[in-house]
Short mmCIF file of all heavy atoms in Angstrom, two decimals:
data_model
loop_
_atom_site.label_atom_id
_atom_site.label_comp_id
_atom_site.label_asym_id
_atom_site.label_seq_id
_atom_site.Cartn_x
_atom_site.Cartn_y
_atom_site.Cartn_z
N MET A 1 -9.22 -13.37 -2.04
CA MET A 1 -7.87 -13.36 -1.82
C MET A 1 -7.52 -13.70 -0.33
O MET A 1 -8.03 -13.00 0.56
CB MET A 1 -7.18 -12.05 -2.22
CG MET A 1 -5.73 -12.09 -2.08
SD MET A 1 -5.22 -10.32 -2.63
CE MET A 1 -3.51 -10.76 -2.98
N ASN A 2 -6.74 -14.68 -0.10
CA ASN A 2 -6.46 -15.10 1.20
C ASN A 2 -5.08 -14.54 1.59
O ASN A 2 -4.06 -14.84 1.03
CB ASN A 2 -6.40 -16.62 1.32
CG ASN A 2 -6.35 -17.10 2.77
OD1 ASN A 2 -6.53 -16.32 3.72
ND2 ASN A 2 -6.22 -18.40 2.92
N LEU A 3 -5.13 -13.64 2.61
CA LEU A 3 -3.85 -12.94 3.04
C LEU A 3 -3.34 -13.51 4.34
O LEU A 3 -4.20 -13.78 5.26
CB LEU A 3 -4.14 -11.50 3.19
CG LEU A 3 -4.49 -10.67 1.96
CD1 LEU A 3 -4.78 -9.24 2.30
CD2 LEU A 3 -3.33 -10.72 0.95
N SER A 4 -2.08 -13.63 4.43
CA SER A 4 -1.51 -14.11 5.73
C SER A 4 -1.46 -12.90 6.69
O SER A 4 -1.65 -11.75 6.32
CB SER A 4 -0.11 -14.66 5.53
OG SER A 4 0.78 -13.64 5.20
N ASN A 5 -1.20 -13.22 7.99
CA ASN A 5 -1.10 -12.15 9.02
C ASN A 5 0.05 -11.17 8.66
O ASN A 5 -0.13 -9.93 8.91
CB ASN A 5 -0.86 -12.80 10.40
CG ASN A 5 -2.10 -13.35 10.93
OD1 ASN A 5 -3.22 -13.01 10.47
ND2 ASN A 5 -2.03 -14.32 11.83
N ARG A 6 1.12 -11.69 8.16
CA ARG A 6 2.26 -10.79 7.80
C ARG A 6 1.80 -9.80 6.76
O ARG A 6 2.19 -8.57 6.77
CB ARG A 6 3.45 -11.54 7.26
CG ARG A 6 4.15 -12.33 8.41
CD ARG A 6 5.32 -13.09 7.67
NE ARG A 6 5.92 -13.93 8.69
CZ ARG A 6 6.52 -15.05 8.29
NH1 ARG A 6 6.57 -15.46 7.12
NH2 ARG A 6 7.09 -15.89 9.35
N SER A 7 1.13 -10.27 5.74
CA SER A 7 0.64 -9.39 4.67
C SER A 7 -0.35 -8.34 5.14
O SER A 7 -0.33 -7.20 4.81
CB SER A 7 -0.06 -10.23 3.52
OG SER A 7 0.91 -10.99 2.89
N LYS A 8 -1.23 -8.73 6.06
CA LYS A 8 -2.21 -7.81 6.63
C LYS A 8 -1.47 -6.78 7.44
O LYS A 8 -1.90 -5.58 7.42
CB LYS A 8 -3.19 -8.61 7.55
CG LYS A 8 -4.10 -9.51 6.82
CD LYS A 8 -4.96 -10.31 7.71
CE LYS A 8 -5.81 -11.30 7.07
NZ LYS A 8 -6.56 -12.16 8.00
N ARG A 9 -0.45 -7.14 8.17
CA ARG A 9 0.27 -6.13 8.96
C ARG A 9 1.01 -5.24 8.03
O ARG A 9 1.06 -3.94 8.26
CB ARG A 9 1.29 -6.87 9.86
CG ARG A 9 0.66 -7.52 11.02
CD ARG A 9 1.76 -8.10 11.92
NE ARG A 9 1.15 -9.02 12.84
CZ ARG A 9 1.36 -10.35 12.85
NH1 ARG A 9 2.25 -10.87 12.02
NH2 ARG A 9 0.82 -11.08 13.70
N GLY A 10 1.51 -5.74 6.92
CA GLY A 10 2.19 -4.85 5.97
C GLY A 10 1.29 -3.84 5.31
O GLY A 10 1.62 -2.67 5.06
N ILE A 11 0.07 -4.33 4.93
CA ILE A 11 -0.85 -3.40 4.32
C ILE A 11 -1.34 -2.41 5.33
O ILE A 11 -1.48 -1.13 4.98
CB ILE A 11 -2.12 -4.26 3.77
CG1 ILE A 11 -1.67 -5.11 2.61
CG2 ILE A 11 -3.24 -3.35 3.41
CD1 ILE A 11 -2.71 -6.18 2.20
N THR A 12 -1.58 -2.79 6.61
CA THR A 12 -1.88 -1.78 7.63
C THR A 12 -0.84 -0.72 7.78
O THR A 12 -1.13 0.42 7.90
CB THR A 12 -2.16 -2.51 8.95
OG1 THR A 12 -3.19 -3.55 8.75
CG2 THR A 12 -2.60 -1.53 10.02
N LEU A 13 0.43 -1.19 7.83
CA LEU A 13 1.48 -0.20 7.98
C LEU A 13 1.61 0.68 6.75
O LEU A 13 1.85 1.91 6.90
CB LEU A 13 2.77 -1.07 8.09
CG LEU A 13 4.06 -0.21 8.39
CD1 LEU A 13 3.93 0.61 9.63
CD2 LEU A 13 5.27 -1.18 8.49
N ALA A 14 1.37 0.17 5.58
CA ALA A 14 1.43 0.98 4.31
C ALA A 14 0.36 2.01 4.40
O ALA A 14 0.55 3.30 4.05
CB ALA A 14 1.33 0.12 3.08
N VAL A 15 -0.88 1.66 4.71
CA VAL A 15 -1.95 2.65 4.79
C VAL A 15 -1.64 3.69 5.85
O VAL A 15 -1.89 4.94 5.58
CB VAL A 15 -3.29 1.93 5.12
CG1 VAL A 15 -4.42 2.87 5.37
CG2 VAL A 15 -3.67 1.02 3.89
N ALA A 16 -1.14 3.29 7.05
CA ALA A 16 -0.88 4.28 8.06
C ALA A 16 0.21 5.26 7.56
O ALA A 16 0.08 6.47 7.86
CB ALA A 16 -0.38 3.57 9.27
N VAL A 17 1.15 4.81 6.81
CA VAL A 17 2.26 5.68 6.36
C VAL A 17 1.73 6.68 5.32
O VAL A 17 2.05 7.85 5.33
CB VAL A 17 3.40 4.91 5.78
CG1 VAL A 17 4.37 5.76 5.08
CG2 VAL A 17 4.15 4.18 6.94
N ILE A 18 0.93 6.11 4.42
CA ILE A 18 0.33 6.98 3.32
C ILE A 18 -0.52 8.02 3.95
O ILE A 18 -0.54 9.18 3.52
CB ILE A 18 -0.41 6.13 2.33
CG1 ILE A 18 0.64 5.31 1.55
CG2 ILE A 18 -1.17 6.97 1.34
CD1 ILE A 18 0.03 4.22 0.67
N ALA A 19 -1.22 7.68 5.01
CA ALA A 19 -2.15 8.62 5.66
C ALA A 19 -1.34 9.75 6.39
O ALA A 19 -1.87 10.84 6.51
CB ALA A 19 -3.11 7.97 6.60
N GLY A 20 -0.16 9.47 6.89
CA GLY A 20 0.52 10.40 7.66
C GLY A 20 1.90 10.74 7.05
O GLY A 20 2.94 10.60 7.66
N LEU A 21 1.91 11.23 5.88
CA LEU A 21 3.19 11.56 5.20
C LEU A 21 3.81 12.83 5.64
O LEU A 21 4.48 13.55 4.87
CB LEU A 21 2.90 11.68 3.70
CG LEU A 21 2.76 10.22 3.00
CD1 LEU A 21 2.34 10.47 1.52
CD2 LEU A 21 3.97 9.44 3.14
N ALA A 22 3.66 13.15 6.86
CA ALA A 22 4.27 14.39 7.39
C ALA A 22 5.81 14.33 7.45
O ALA A 22 6.52 15.36 7.13
CB ALA A 22 3.76 14.77 8.75
N PHE A 23 6.33 13.15 7.80
CA PHE A 23 7.77 12.95 7.86
C PHE A 23 8.18 12.13 6.63
O PHE A 23 8.06 10.85 6.80
CB PHE A 23 8.17 12.37 9.19
CG PHE A 23 7.81 13.21 10.30
CD1 PHE A 23 6.71 12.91 11.11
CD2 PHE A 23 8.52 14.36 10.62
CE1 PHE A 23 6.30 13.69 12.17
CE2 PHE A 23 8.18 15.16 11.71
CZ PHE A 23 7.12 14.82 12.46
N ARG A 24 8.67 12.66 5.62
CA ARG A 24 8.88 11.95 4.38
C ARG A 24 9.84 10.75 4.47
O ARG A 24 9.48 9.68 3.97
CB ARG A 24 9.41 12.87 3.31
CG ARG A 24 8.47 14.00 3.06
CD ARG A 24 7.75 13.82 1.75
NE ARG A 24 6.95 15.04 1.53
CZ ARG A 24 5.67 14.99 1.20
NH1 ARG A 24 5.07 13.85 1.16
NH2 ARG A 24 4.99 16.06 0.99
N TRP A 25 11.03 10.89 5.08
CA TRP A 25 11.97 9.86 5.12
C TRP A 25 11.54 8.72 6.03
O TRP A 25 11.80 7.57 5.82
CB TRP A 25 13.42 10.36 5.55
CG TRP A 25 13.98 11.22 4.44
CD1 TRP A 25 14.09 12.61 4.48
CD2 TRP A 25 14.41 10.84 3.17
NE1 TRP A 25 14.66 12.98 3.25
CE2 TRP A 25 14.78 11.95 2.49
CE3 TRP A 25 14.39 9.54 2.49
CZ2 TRP A 25 15.24 11.85 1.19
CZ3 TRP A 25 14.88 9.46 1.27
CH2 TRP A 25 15.25 10.64 0.58
N LEU A 26 10.86 9.03 7.08
CA LEU A 26 10.34 8.07 7.96
C LEU A 26 9.26 7.25 7.21
O LEU A 26 9.12 6.00 7.40
CB LEU A 26 9.79 8.64 9.23
CG LEU A 26 9.37 7.74 10.37
CD1 LEU A 26 10.51 6.78 10.80
CD2 LEU A 26 8.81 8.46 11.53
N ALA A 27 8.46 7.97 6.47
CA ALA A 27 7.37 7.32 5.68
C ALA A 27 8.06 6.34 4.61
O ALA A 27 7.51 5.27 4.43
CB ALA A 27 6.51 8.34 4.91
N VAL A 28 9.15 6.79 3.99
CA VAL A 28 9.79 5.88 3.03
C VAL A 28 10.26 4.64 3.73
O VAL A 28 10.13 3.51 3.26
CB VAL A 28 10.95 6.62 2.33
CG1 VAL A 28 11.77 5.70 1.56
CG2 VAL A 28 10.38 7.69 1.46
N LEU A 29 10.90 4.76 4.90
CA LEU A 29 11.37 3.58 5.64
C LEU A 29 10.23 2.65 5.97
O LEU A 29 10.38 1.48 5.85
CB LEU A 29 12.12 4.01 6.94
CG LEU A 29 12.52 2.99 7.80
CD1 LEU A 29 13.69 2.16 7.23
CD2 LEU A 29 12.99 3.58 9.21
N PHE A 30 9.18 3.18 6.46
CA PHE A 30 7.93 2.36 6.81
C PHE A 30 7.31 1.67 5.58
O PHE A 30 6.83 0.62 5.66
CB PHE A 30 6.93 3.14 7.58
CG PHE A 30 7.31 3.34 9.01
CD1 PHE A 30 7.03 4.59 9.66
CD2 PHE A 30 7.83 2.35 9.81
CE1 PHE A 30 7.38 4.78 11.01
CE2 PHE A 30 8.21 2.51 11.13
CZ PHE A 30 7.98 3.68 11.68
N LEU A 31 7.34 2.42 4.51
CA LEU A 31 6.77 1.80 3.24
C LEU A 31 7.67 0.66 2.83
O LEU A 31 7.22 -0.43 2.28
CB LEU A 31 6.65 2.83 2.12
CG LEU A 31 5.46 3.72 2.28
CD1 LEU A 31 5.53 4.81 1.16
CD2 LEU A 31 4.15 2.91 2.10
N LEU A 32 9.00 0.79 2.95
CA LEU A 32 9.88 -0.34 2.59
C LEU A 32 9.64 -1.54 3.51
O LEU A 32 9.61 -2.67 3.05
CB LEU A 32 11.36 0.10 2.63
CG LEU A 32 11.83 1.06 1.54
CD1 LEU A 32 13.21 1.54 1.83
CD2 LEU A 32 11.78 0.33 0.20
N LEU A 33 9.48 -1.27 4.79
CA LEU A 33 9.15 -2.33 5.76
C LEU A 33 7.86 -2.97 5.37
O LEU A 33 7.70 -4.18 5.42
CB LEU A 33 9.16 -1.82 7.19
CG LEU A 33 8.83 -2.78 8.24
CD1 LEU A 33 9.86 -3.95 8.30
CD2 LEU A 33 8.80 -2.06 9.60
N ALA A 34 6.80 -2.20 5.11
CA ALA A 34 5.55 -2.70 4.71
C ALA A 34 5.60 -3.57 3.46
O ALA A 34 5.01 -4.62 3.41
CB ALA A 34 4.54 -1.53 4.49
N THR A 35 6.38 -3.16 2.44
CA THR A 35 6.53 -3.92 1.22
C THR A 35 7.23 -5.24 1.55
O THR A 35 6.73 -6.30 1.07
CB THR A 35 7.40 -3.16 0.21
OG1 THR A 35 6.71 -1.88 0.01
CG2 THR A 35 7.53 -3.91 -1.05
N ALA A 36 8.20 -5.26 2.46
CA ALA A 36 8.88 -6.48 2.86
C ALA A 36 7.93 -7.41 3.55
O ALA A 36 7.97 -8.62 3.28
CB ALA A 36 10.12 -6.14 3.65
N LEU A 37 7.13 -6.91 4.41
CA LEU A 37 6.16 -7.72 5.13
C LEU A 37 5.08 -8.34 4.24
O LEU A 37 4.72 -9.48 4.31
CB LEU A 37 5.48 -6.90 6.24
CG LEU A 37 6.30 -6.65 7.49
CD1 LEU A 37 5.52 -5.66 8.36
CD2 LEU A 37 6.69 -7.86 8.14
N ILE A 38 4.60 -7.54 3.30
CA ILE A 38 3.63 -8.06 2.31
C ILE A 38 4.25 -9.16 1.50
O ILE A 38 3.72 -10.21 1.33
CB ILE A 38 3.07 -6.88 1.44
CG1 ILE A 38 2.29 -5.95 2.31
CG2 ILE A 38 2.28 -7.49 0.30
CD1 ILE A 38 1.94 -4.61 1.62
N ALA A 39 5.41 -8.93 0.95
CA ALA A 39 6.11 -9.94 0.10
C ALA A 39 6.40 -11.16 0.96
O ALA A 39 6.29 -12.31 0.57
CB ALA A 39 7.42 -9.34 -0.51
N TRP A 40 6.90 -10.93 2.17
CA TRP A 40 7.24 -12.07 3.02
C TRP A 40 5.96 -12.92 3.41
O TRP A 40 6.05 -14.11 3.52
CB TRP A 40 7.86 -11.55 4.30
CG TRP A 40 8.66 -12.52 5.17
CD1 TRP A 40 9.21 -13.68 4.70
CD2 TRP A 40 8.93 -12.42 6.52
NE1 TRP A 40 9.86 -14.30 5.77
CE2 TRP A 40 9.69 -13.52 6.87
CE3 TRP A 40 8.62 -11.49 7.54
CZ2 TRP A 40 10.13 -13.73 8.19
CZ3 TRP A 40 9.06 -11.67 8.72
CH2 TRP A 40 9.85 -12.80 9.11
N GLY A 41 4.93 -12.29 3.52
CA GLY A 41 3.62 -13.01 3.83
C GLY A 41 3.18 -13.72 2.61
O GLY A 41 2.57 -14.83 2.79
N GLN A 42 3.35 -13.27 1.45
CA GLN A 42 2.84 -13.92 0.19
C GLN A 42 3.80 -15.04 -0.26
O GLN A 42 3.39 -16.11 -0.64
CB GLN A 42 2.63 -12.92 -0.91
CG GLN A 42 1.54 -11.92 -0.60
CD GLN A 42 0.27 -12.55 -0.57
OE1 GLN A 42 -0.17 -13.37 -1.38
NE2 GLN A 42 -0.45 -12.26 0.57
N GLN A 43 5.15 -14.75 -0.32
CA GLN A 43 6.09 -15.72 -0.72
C GLN A 43 7.24 -15.71 0.22
O GLN A 43 8.36 -15.17 -0.04
CB GLN A 43 6.60 -15.30 -2.09
CG GLN A 43 5.61 -15.24 -3.19
CD GLN A 43 5.22 -16.63 -3.67
OE1 GLN A 43 6.08 -17.54 -3.63
NE2 GLN A 43 4.03 -16.83 -4.09
N PRO A 44 7.10 -16.41 1.37
CA PRO A 44 8.18 -16.38 2.44
C PRO A 44 9.56 -16.85 1.93
O PRO A 44 10.58 -16.29 2.22
CB PRO A 44 7.64 -17.21 3.57
CG PRO A 44 6.27 -17.61 3.19
CD PRO A 44 6.00 -17.18 1.81
N GLN A 45 9.50 -17.95 1.20
CA GLN A 45 10.83 -18.60 0.88
C GLN A 45 11.56 -17.71 -0.11
O GLN A 45 12.71 -17.49 -0.01
CB GLN A 45 10.56 -20.00 0.28
CG GLN A 45 11.75 -20.77 -0.17
CD GLN A 45 12.53 -21.19 1.20
OE1 GLN A 45 11.92 -21.31 2.25
NE2 GLN A 45 13.83 -21.38 1.04
N ARG A 46 10.82 -17.22 -1.16
CA ARG A 46 11.52 -16.39 -2.19
C ARG A 46 11.93 -15.03 -1.52
O ARG A 46 12.99 -14.55 -1.93
CB ARG A 46 10.51 -16.14 -3.33
CG ARG A 46 10.31 -17.35 -4.19
CD ARG A 46 9.35 -17.14 -5.32
NE ARG A 46 9.97 -16.15 -6.21
CZ ARG A 46 9.21 -15.48 -7.14
NH1 ARG A 46 7.97 -15.76 -7.28
NH2 ARG A 46 9.79 -14.62 -7.89
N THR A 47 11.18 -14.49 -0.60
CA THR A 47 11.56 -13.26 -0.02
C THR A 47 12.82 -13.40 0.81
O THR A 47 13.75 -12.56 0.73
CB THR A 47 10.38 -12.70 0.89
OG1 THR A 47 9.17 -12.59 0.04
CG2 THR A 47 10.77 -11.32 1.40
N GLU A 48 12.86 -14.43 1.64
CA GLU A 48 14.06 -14.75 2.39
C GLU A 48 15.30 -15.02 1.61
O GLU A 48 16.42 -14.47 1.87
CB GLU A 48 13.75 -15.89 3.37
CG GLU A 48 12.81 -15.62 4.45
CD GLU A 48 12.40 -16.82 5.30
OE1 GLU A 48 12.95 -17.90 5.12
OE2 GLU A 48 11.53 -16.63 6.09
N GLU A 49 15.07 -15.71 0.43
CA GLU A 49 16.26 -15.86 -0.49
C GLU A 49 16.68 -14.54 -1.00
O GLU A 49 17.89 -14.30 -1.19
CB GLU A 49 15.81 -16.79 -1.62
CG GLU A 49 15.59 -18.27 -1.17
CD GLU A 49 15.10 -19.15 -2.22
OE1 GLU A 49 14.84 -18.65 -3.38
OE2 GLU A 49 14.80 -20.34 -1.95
N PHE A 50 15.78 -13.69 -1.43
CA PHE A 50 16.16 -12.38 -2.02
C PHE A 50 16.87 -11.52 -1.00
O PHE A 50 17.92 -10.99 -1.31
CB PHE A 50 14.89 -11.67 -2.49
CG PHE A 50 15.16 -10.30 -2.96
CD1 PHE A 50 15.82 -9.93 -4.11
CD2 PHE A 50 14.77 -9.24 -2.18
CE1 PHE A 50 16.04 -8.69 -4.52
CE2 PHE A 50 15.00 -7.94 -2.47
CZ PHE A 50 15.65 -7.65 -3.75
N LEU A 51 16.24 -11.44 0.22
CA LEU A 51 16.85 -10.66 1.27
C LEU A 51 18.23 -11.12 1.66
O LEU A 51 19.12 -10.40 2.04
CB LEU A 51 15.98 -10.56 2.47
CG LEU A 51 14.73 -9.68 2.34
CD1 LEU A 51 13.82 -9.80 3.55
CD2 LEU A 51 15.01 -8.29 1.95
N GLY A 52 18.44 -12.46 1.67
CA GLY A 52 19.72 -13.08 1.99
C GLY A 52 20.89 -12.69 1.00
O GLY A 52 21.95 -12.66 1.36
N ARG A 53 20.47 -12.40 -0.22
CA ARG A 53 21.42 -12.01 -1.24
C ARG A 53 21.82 -10.54 -1.19
O ARG A 53 22.81 -10.16 -1.84
CB ARG A 53 20.91 -12.34 -2.56
CG ARG A 53 20.84 -13.86 -2.90
CD ARG A 53 20.58 -14.12 -4.36
NE ARG A 53 19.39 -13.49 -4.87
CZ ARG A 53 18.20 -14.09 -5.02
NH1 ARG A 53 18.08 -15.38 -4.72
NH2 ARG A 53 17.19 -13.41 -5.46
N LEU A 54 21.04 -9.76 -0.50
CA LEU A 54 21.33 -8.27 -0.40
C LEU A 54 22.60 -8.05 0.53
O LEU A 54 22.83 -8.93 1.33
CB LEU A 54 20.15 -7.60 0.13
CG LEU A 54 18.85 -7.50 -0.78
CD1 LEU A 54 17.79 -6.80 0.02
CD2 LEU A 54 19.22 -6.72 -2.01
N PRO A 55 23.22 -6.92 0.38
CA PRO A 55 24.23 -6.50 1.36
C PRO A 55 23.60 -6.52 2.73
O PRO A 55 22.51 -5.97 2.88
CB PRO A 55 24.69 -5.15 0.90
CG PRO A 55 24.33 -5.07 -0.49
CD PRO A 55 23.15 -5.93 -0.68
N PHE A 56 24.23 -7.03 3.75
CA PHE A 56 23.70 -7.09 5.06
C PHE A 56 22.41 -7.92 5.18
O PHE A 56 21.56 -7.70 5.97
CB PHE A 56 23.43 -5.74 5.70
CG PHE A 56 24.60 -4.77 5.71
CD1 PHE A 56 24.74 -3.76 4.86
CD2 PHE A 56 25.60 -5.00 6.62
CE1 PHE A 56 25.86 -2.94 4.85
CE2 PHE A 56 26.71 -4.17 6.63
CZ PHE A 56 26.84 -3.21 5.75
N GLY A 57 22.34 -8.85 4.26
CA GLY A 57 21.12 -9.74 4.18
C GLY A 57 20.92 -10.55 5.42
O GLY A 57 19.80 -10.73 5.86
N ASP A 58 21.99 -11.12 5.94
CA ASP A 58 21.83 -11.87 7.16
C ASP A 58 21.31 -11.04 8.31
O ASP A 58 20.44 -11.47 9.08
CB ASP A 58 23.20 -12.56 7.57
CG ASP A 58 24.30 -11.55 7.73
OD1 ASP A 58 24.24 -10.44 7.19
OD2 ASP A 58 25.23 -11.87 8.55
N PHE A 59 21.74 -9.72 8.41
CA PHE A 59 21.22 -8.83 9.38
C PHE A 59 19.72 -8.59 9.18
O PHE A 59 18.93 -8.57 10.15
CB PHE A 59 21.94 -7.52 9.37
CG PHE A 59 21.41 -6.48 10.27
CD1 PHE A 59 21.62 -6.58 11.64
CD2 PHE A 59 20.69 -5.43 9.73
CE1 PHE A 59 21.11 -5.58 12.49
CE2 PHE A 59 20.16 -4.53 10.56
CZ PHE A 59 20.37 -4.60 12.03
N LEU A 60 19.33 -8.37 7.90
CA LEU A 60 17.91 -8.08 7.57
C LEU A 60 17.04 -9.32 7.98
O LEU A 60 16.02 -9.13 8.50
CB LEU A 60 17.76 -7.84 6.06
CG LEU A 60 18.30 -6.50 5.58
CD1 LEU A 60 18.31 -6.53 4.07
CD2 LEU A 60 17.51 -5.38 6.14
N LEU A 61 17.59 -10.54 7.62
CA LEU A 61 16.72 -11.69 8.00
C LEU A 61 16.54 -11.90 9.49
O LEU A 61 15.51 -12.22 9.99
CB LEU A 61 17.44 -12.95 7.37
CG LEU A 61 17.29 -13.03 5.85
CD1 LEU A 61 18.11 -14.24 5.33
CD2 LEU A 61 15.82 -13.16 5.42
N ARG A 62 17.63 -11.59 10.26
CA ARG A 62 17.56 -11.65 11.69
C ARG A 62 16.65 -10.69 12.25
O ARG A 62 15.81 -10.89 13.12
CB ARG A 62 18.95 -11.59 12.34
CG ARG A 62 19.75 -12.82 12.27
CD ARG A 62 21.10 -12.76 13.03
NE ARG A 62 21.98 -11.95 12.07
CZ ARG A 62 22.91 -11.24 12.50
NH1 ARG A 62 23.18 -11.11 13.75
NH2 ARG A 62 23.69 -10.57 11.60
N ALA A 63 16.68 -9.41 11.64
CA ALA A 63 15.81 -8.38 12.11
C ALA A 63 14.31 -8.67 11.85
O ALA A 63 13.45 -8.48 12.65
CB ALA A 63 16.17 -7.01 11.45
N LEU A 64 14.00 -9.23 10.71
CA LEU A 64 12.72 -9.59 10.36
C LEU A 64 12.20 -10.73 11.24
O LEU A 64 11.03 -10.80 11.60
CB LEU A 64 12.54 -9.99 8.85
CG LEU A 64 12.51 -8.90 7.84
CD1 LEU A 64 12.54 -9.41 6.40
CD2 LEU A 64 11.28 -8.10 8.15
N ALA A 65 13.07 -11.73 11.58
CA ALA A 65 12.70 -12.79 12.47
C ALA A 65 12.27 -12.26 13.82
O ALA A 65 11.36 -12.67 14.42
CB ALA A 65 13.81 -13.83 12.52
N GLN A 66 13.15 -11.27 14.29
CA GLN A 66 12.81 -10.65 15.63
C GLN A 66 11.53 -9.92 15.58
O GLN A 66 10.66 -9.97 16.54
CB GLN A 66 13.98 -9.68 15.98
CG GLN A 66 15.29 -10.34 16.37
CD GLN A 66 15.13 -11.12 17.74
OE1 GLN A 66 14.34 -10.76 18.50
NE2 GLN A 66 15.95 -12.09 17.84
N LEU A 67 11.30 -9.19 14.52
CA LEU A 67 10.02 -8.44 14.28
C LEU A 67 8.85 -9.40 14.25
O LEU A 67 7.78 -9.18 14.86
CB LEU A 67 10.07 -7.54 12.99
CG LEU A 67 8.85 -6.74 12.79
CD1 LEU A 67 8.61 -5.64 13.87
CD2 LEU A 67 9.01 -6.11 11.44
N ASP A 68 9.04 -10.49 13.56
CA ASP A 68 7.96 -11.52 13.53
C ASP A 68 7.70 -12.04 14.81
O ASP A 68 6.51 -12.32 15.21
CB ASP A 68 8.40 -12.64 12.51
CG ASP A 68 7.27 -13.53 12.22
OD1 ASP A 68 6.08 -13.02 11.95
OD2 ASP A 68 7.45 -14.73 12.06
N MET A 69 8.75 -12.33 15.66
CA MET A 69 8.46 -12.92 16.99
C MET A 69 7.70 -11.94 17.85
O MET A 69 6.78 -12.25 18.62
CB MET A 69 9.82 -13.26 17.65
CG MET A 69 10.43 -14.52 17.09
SD MET A 69 11.79 -15.26 18.10
CE MET A 69 12.54 -13.84 18.91
N ILE A 70 8.02 -10.60 17.72
CA ILE A 70 7.34 -9.54 18.52
C ILE A 70 5.86 -9.50 18.09
O ILE A 70 4.99 -9.49 18.88
CB ILE A 70 8.06 -8.25 18.43
CG1 ILE A 70 9.46 -8.28 18.96
CG2 ILE A 70 7.23 -7.07 18.91
CD1 ILE A 70 10.31 -7.10 18.72
N LEU A 71 5.57 -9.43 16.76
CA LEU A 71 4.29 -9.23 16.33
C LEU A 71 3.43 -10.53 16.47
O LEU A 71 2.18 -10.41 16.72
CB LEU A 71 4.29 -8.80 14.82
CG LEU A 71 4.88 -7.47 14.56
CD1 LEU A 71 4.97 -7.21 13.09
CD2 LEU A 71 4.06 -6.40 15.30
N SER A 72 4.02 -11.69 16.32
CA SER A 72 3.29 -12.94 16.38
C SER A 72 2.84 -13.26 17.82
O SER A 72 1.96 -14.00 18.05
CB SER A 72 4.10 -14.09 15.76
OG SER A 72 4.35 -13.91 14.46
N ALA A 73 3.57 -12.71 18.84
CA ALA A 73 3.16 -12.95 20.18
C ALA A 73 1.84 -12.47 20.55
O ALA A 73 1.24 -12.98 21.41
CB ALA A 73 4.27 -12.30 21.07
N ARG A 74 1.24 -11.61 19.81
CA ARG A 74 0.01 -10.93 20.09
C ARG A 74 -1.10 -11.71 19.33
O ARG A 74 -2.30 -11.43 19.44
CB ARG A 74 0.03 -9.43 19.64
CG ARG A 74 0.92 -8.69 20.46
CD ARG A 74 0.87 -7.20 20.09
NE ARG A 74 1.82 -6.49 20.95
CZ ARG A 74 2.40 -5.38 20.53
NH1 ARG A 74 2.16 -4.89 19.49
NH2 ARG A 74 3.30 -4.79 21.37
N ASP A 75 -0.75 -12.64 18.47
CA ASP A 75 -1.82 -13.41 17.67
C ASP A 75 -2.56 -14.36 18.60
O ASP A 75 -2.09 -14.86 19.55
CB ASP A 75 -1.16 -14.14 16.51
CG ASP A 75 -0.76 -13.14 15.38
OD1 ASP A 75 -1.24 -12.03 15.46
OD2 ASP A 75 0.04 -13.62 14.60
#
């Protein structure tokens, strides 16, 4: 299975959250972010279309683009 860098980051984040479930709500937030990164890495176009249809979708897309720029700078 060939994973993109976004998917790898999402999986890493998911494992870290599952390992440290001390703060439940923070863990839920990070798991949602990890799921979004995994999906975005596997199907970028479909994920962006889905997020764009959500309430505050334009904000979510801009936030993910900023996060991608921050994380991609280290590649």
Side-chain angles (χ1 to χ4, degrees):
M1 181 180 199
N2 193 6
L3 295 175
S4 71
N5 286 336
R6 289 180 189 150
S7 295
K8 290 177 187 176
R9 288 183 195 114
I11 291 169
T12 302
L13 184 58
V15 170
V17 168
I18 291 170
L21 285 174
F23 301 101
R24 301 256 186 230
W25 290 110
L26 188 59
V28 169
L29 176 67
F30 282 138
L31 281 173
L32 288 173
L33 179 61
T35 303
L37 287 172
I38 293 168
W40 196 24
Q42 294 297 310
Q43 297 286 330
Q45 185 69 24
R46 290 181 60 195
T47 304
E48 289 172 6
E49 290 172 2
F50 173 74
L51 290 175
R53 289 191 304 260
L54 291 175
F56 303 107
D58 57 335
F59 174 76
L60 290 171
L61 290 174
R62 282 185 280 151
L64 281 176
Q66 290 291 334
L67 180 64
D68 190 42
M69 284 190 336
I70 292 169
L71 295 175
S72 295
R74 295 183 180 152
D75 288 344

